[in-house]
Amino acid sequence: MNRKHDNDARFDDPATAREWALQELAREHERLGSPMSEDDPRLAQYRLLSRALRAPPMEPIPYGFAEQVARRAAVAADAGDRVERWLQQLLLIGLIASGAAMAVASATHWAPALVSSLQQLPNGSASWGMAAVACCAATWGWGGIARALGLEPDAPARRA
């Protein structure tokens, strides 16, 4: 930094040479502690920059800072997930209740058609259909229970 740059190819441009000289002048004025003048705002900017670069660095980040931030983020995410899960369950219950109410209210229209179509099926086919529905319900029900308890092999372990 304390070299003369007369022969340097970077300073062939007069604007670049002026900026370099202004930066060096600001550094020198700042080192000597001379008062700032309002004559040249560019020189004042370079002096402020020189002052900031000479200031001691900020205190280091405390040990375990990233772990603390990650822990706080996880707690906030868990709280948000709990509220979201509760709202989803409330919405699901509302949808099921409104669907059941609509089905009961309009049963006079669709129930006779369903009964007549079931009567046209061959003997025993309704019982096989009910058996298939029962198997599906049992399988999906057990999967939901296992997932909720964390017994499913691929399920992530839930924290207590």
Side-chain angles (χ1 to χ4, degrees):
M1 286 186 72
N2 294 332
R3 298 179 289 168
K4 293 291 184 189
H5 293 282
D6 297 334
N7 298 334
D8 197 343
R10 293 179 294 180
F11 298 105
D12 289 343
D13 180 29
T16 306
R18 274 194 312 274
E19 284 295 314
W20 178 265
L22 194 59
Q23 290 172 12
E24 289 296 317
L25 182 64
R27 188 181 58 80
E28 187 64 26
H29 280 215
E30 194 59 35
R31 188 180 63 80
L32 293 174
S34 59
M36 275 202 197
S37 68
E38 297 179 9
D39 299 339
D40 192 1
R42 192 88 174 132
L43 180 64
Q45 287 177 344
Y46 282 132
R47 284 191 66 178
L48 288 174
L49 182 62
S50 176
R51 186 177 302 158
L53 290 173
R54 292 177 66 124
M58 296 182 343
E59 291 183 25
I61 295 175
Y63 181 76
F65 175 75
E67 183 181 344
Q68 292 171 4
V69 170
R71 194 176 318 120
R72 286 184 193 159
V75 167
D78 285 346
D81 286 349
R82 240 180 283 125
V83 170
E84 187 175 344
R85 268 187 262 125
W86 183 79
L87 288 173
Q88 284 177 346
Q89 290 171 352
L90 186 65
L91 178 63
L92 182 62
I93 290 169
L95 287 172
I96 289 171
S98 64
M102 290 300 295
V104 168
S106 64
T108 57
H109 299 293
W110 59 266
L114 180 64
V115 169
S116 67
S117 62
L118 285 176
Q119 288 173 349
Q120 293 176 1
L121 290 173
N123 290 339
S125 56
S127 61
W128 281 109
M130 291 298 176
V133 168
C135 286
C136 289
T139 302
W140 292 333
W142 173 251
I145 292 170
R147 205 172 18 262
L149 295 176
L151 300 175
E152 200 171 55
D154 297 333
R158 296 181 82 183
R159 291 182 301 197

